[in-house]
Amino acid sequence: MTSFTIPPTGLRFENIDKRYGGLYALRRVSFEIASGECAVLAGRNGSGKTTLLRIAGQIVRPTHGKLSFPGHTAGSDGNPRPGYVGHSTMVYDELSAEENLLLFAKLQKVESPAERAENLLREVGLFERRTSLVRTFSRGMRQRVAIARALIHRPSVLLLDEPATGLDPLGITWLANSLRELNRAGCTVVMSLHGESEISALATRAVRLDVGSVVADTKTGTSLREILTFGSA
Amino acid sequence: MSKRIALGFVAMLLVVASAYASFYIAPEERTMGLIQRIFYFHVACAWAGFTAFFLCFIGNLMYVWKRQQKYDWLGVSGGEVGLAFTTVVLITGPIWAHPVWGIWWTWDARLTSTFVLWLLYVSYLLLRTLVEEPDRRALLSSLFGIFAFIDVPLVFGAIRWWRTQHPQPVIMGGQGSGLDPTMKMVFFFSAFAMHVLMVFLLAERYSLEKLQTETDFLAHEVEAQ
Amino acid sequence: MSLLSNTTVLLGKELRTEFRSRELLTTTVVFILVVLILFSFAISPTTEESREFGPGLLWLAILFAASLMLQPCFLREQNNDTLSSLRLAVSDPFSIFLAKLAANTLFLMVTELIMLPFFAVFYNVPVLPEFSWLIVVLFLGSLGISIAGTALSAISAQARMRELLLPLLLLPLLTPVLVVSATVTVSLFDREPIVKGKGIAFLAVFDVVFLTVLWLFGEYLLEE
């Protein structure tokens, strides 16, 4: 995962609103994540973390406001494509791990897609099971496929929505190590988390959301611990 | 508000006037007699309904482009009002056909196409009831509305061609039948009256939708506090 | 061209997925068969009537089957939110539609070709004369059904009561295809078969029009 240089890219939210009918899922969210940071989005369920990440991933359009990626030199596509790991695996159960990765590699015009898919499968530890259908995988293995899929095109920004859910301690350690390596290589990591863990320890920045608005930010002095454990039971 | 009341009043007057004209000013048609007078009403409603659907289409296009709620209000108003007028067309068709042909329905090209048109917009309104979130509802129904409206000329074309393969009795005398100048005048007056009525109904429906949406929004705001 | 290569890759995925389970194909074939048989129970046509009404019933059966077959089209993509990963991966969302409608057209045609001998036997219809034109009509009609069906299944997947909604949206929209395909097919099975060029041209126009509308508005159908 680290045999290449990642162009530095940050993430900037400017006055992001997201409205569903009369309900605001996000209200005037503005902050910036510098390139190379490992940022955590904290907050209770329903605070807007998933919505904000999906907007950052360009899966959802904000009602108002602007998303930009400072530092990204506009290539053929304008905005860069962040890697996105969501609540669902976003891969096909009826295809094998290998077939899934090949599909996404080819769609995104990755060079030597077969080779890239093979390398990623080895790195996430699924090479032996590469021809098995994803349907047969355990939760931890599915998470690995999801992460491999997100990384297939060597993104400079990686977004993860509660990536530790359903992972056993070994899985969490593996994830923490992988993210640390990626972040060291220059990938900007943004993830939503609940509470403290091995993974949250990687954070160089944290922002807390509540009812769709930013209520705390390590940039303005609140400690990481405070943000992660604020009012939590 | 008072402008709308005035419009309603004018519409009512015009409709009554056109009814009078249909019965007392237009000359009696040679072959079909009294029942033919329903033509002024039937075709005028068809034209007004079609204009309403066209306005719905404009609303649909504008919503997809601009994403402003007012265009969705225009869409649903045009759809509902158009459907109301089209229903009248479908009812008056058989009312005319029965005394003249002895049957209620003849699969006449225009009436059949109008029926499909009716089905399309019933589906449009039904789709709206099945999507709860307002922005989603507006977008999905606008997209379907666009597909439906573009389909309309294809429906009319296909059914007309189909009927040339199997000719059937034609309602309302068909294309070729020329209209006596007085009849033409009465017809255009009826069409005008129906359009004014259509605009009035559309404006009413639009403001109703506007009020409903604004009330819902306020209710949500209050809840969020 | 990026659109073409993405479409090809996605088409490969659609075909691979379907041929692994063959659920859609088998259920669609059986459904059309059952419908055709039920029609002949309900109507008990004479030989002459079979020839006249058969094609209409065939197309009706195809339409009903298609409106069921097209349900999973976008619903499948909701399972693991694969629609999001596809949207992220492709540069032009139209490739998603192109791949799906190509796959759907192919599935429909395979179904129709499997059905054809049964139809010919049950309804005493001579399908062999003008067979190549029959294929053309089946193709253009199936393509029209797939284009509209793929677009509308993207809509119905986001609404409630989607199993009932899709046929409700689709069937009125496809009236031109039903009417024209049936008429052209009937004349192909006549004692002296006639090829109705105008009808065939109309089907092609329908396909082009709806493909264009889908191309213009497709990305909004996939929006979240």
Side-chain angles (χ1 to χ4, degrees), chain A:
Chain A
M1 293 190 253
T2 57
S3 51
F4 51 89
T5 46
I6 301 175
T9 309
L11 187 60
R12 182 190 292 151
F13 300 106
E14 285 172 84
N15 290 318
I16 300 274
D17 277 344
K18 180 63 183 173
R19 202 191 63 215
Y20 291 106
L23 278 155
Y24 275 93
L26 292 171
R27 229 187 247 268
R28 321 218 98 228
V29 171
S30 294
F31 64 92
E32 185 170 340
I33 295 169
S35 82
E37 277 201 293
C38 181
V40 165
L41 275 182
R44 290 172 311 181
N45 289 331
S47 53
K49 311 193 297 291
T50 300
T51 312
L52 190 63
L53 281 174
R54 285 177 87 85
I55 288 177
Q58 295 162 81
I59 303 173
V60 172
R61 270 214 266 173
T63 313
H64 303 113
K66 191 171 148 211
L67 171 78
S68 54
F69 295 87
H72 173 74
T73 43
S76 53
D77 283 337
N79 267 343
R81 293 176 185 186
Y84 184 86
V85 180
H87 285 298
S88 314
T89 57
M90 292 160 69
V91 293
Y92 291 95
D93 278 344
E94 325 83 58
L95 295 179
S96 71
E98 193 172 38
E99 284 168 339
N100 268 296
L101 289 187
L102 261 174
L103 171 69
F104 288 101
K106 286 185 190 165
L107 287 176
Q108 296 181 96
K109 308 282 186 303
V110 169
E111 255 179 56
S112 320
E115 208 183 301
R116 174 89 182 127
E118 194 184 307
N119 288 338
L120 266 176
L121 283 168
R122 282 186 203 283
E123 286 180 22
V124 302
L126 286 174
F127 189 72
E128 274 72 48
R129 296 292 300 273
R130 67 188 181 285
T131 54
S132 308
L133 299 186
V134 173
R135 200 177 349 116
T136 62
F137 283 12
S138 67
R139 165 76 201 175
M141 291 163 78
R142 281 167 186 256
Q143 193 68 319
R144 292 171 189 236
V145 178
I147 291 169
R149 175 199 48 76
L151 293 174
I152 198 110
H153 61 294
R154 301 197 171 90
S156 43
V157 176
L158 182 63
L159 308 164
L160 305 112
D161 198 353
E162 297 182 24
T165 323
L167 288 182
D168 61 13
L170 259 164
I172 293 182
T173 308
W174 171 83
L175 180 62
N177 290 334
S178 311
L179 291 177
R180 185 181 298 117
E181 241 185 271
L182 275 165
N183 190 226
R184 275 212 197 108
C187 184
T188 309
V189 174
V190 184
M191 50 192 171
S192 72
L193 291 176
H194 271 147
E196 293 181 289
S197 66
E198 220 177 312
I199 301 183
S200 64
L202 301 167
T204 54
R205 171 77 183 285
V207 172
R208 183 163 189 99
L209 292 178
D210 196 37
V211 202
S213 302
V214 176
V215 295
D217 191 337
T218 46
K219 215 166 184 188
T220 55
T222 327
S223 76
L224 177 62
R225 157 153 291 172
E226 239 182 277
I227 288 186
L228 287 169
T229 56
F230 182 80
S232 65

Side-chain angles (χ1 to χ4, degrees), chain B residues 167-182:
Chain B
Q168 295 272 296
V170 178
I171 303 229
M172 299 291 161
Q175 297 292 73
S177 57
L179 279 179
D180 159 293
T182 321

Side-chain angles (χ1 to χ4, degrees), chain B residues 98-163:
Chain B
H98 196 245
V100 178
W101 295 102
I103 39 173
W104 291 106
W105 190 267
T106 72
W107 296 111
D108 149 81
R110 271 174 307 193
L111 208 59
T112 308
S113 308
T114 307
F115 188 48
V116 177
L117 181 68
W118 186 86
L119 287 173
L120 279 171
Y121 280 91
V122 164
S123 301
Y124 169 80
L125 293 177
L126 209 68
L127 171 61
R128 292 185 66 94
T129 63
L130 295 172
V131 183
E132 257 148 38
E133 206 266 291
D135 292 331
R136 204 105 282 274
R137 180 199 314 146
L139 183 64
L140 291 178
S141 61
S142 295
L143 290 167
F144 179 71
I146 292 171
F147 277 98
F149 193 79
I150 305 255
D151 197 37
V152 171
L154 292 166
V155 168
F156 276 76
I159 293 183
R160 177 157 359 143
W161 178 77
W162 172 58
R163 293 290 73 175

Side-chain angles (χ1 to χ4, degrees), chain C residues 36-37 39-40 45 50-51 54 57 118-125:
Chain C
L36 283 177
I37 295 174
F39 276 149
S40 62
S50 283
R51 192 180 287 224
L57 294 175
F118 293 99
F119 174 68
V121 165
F122 289 148
Y123 283 76
N124 274 307
V125 177

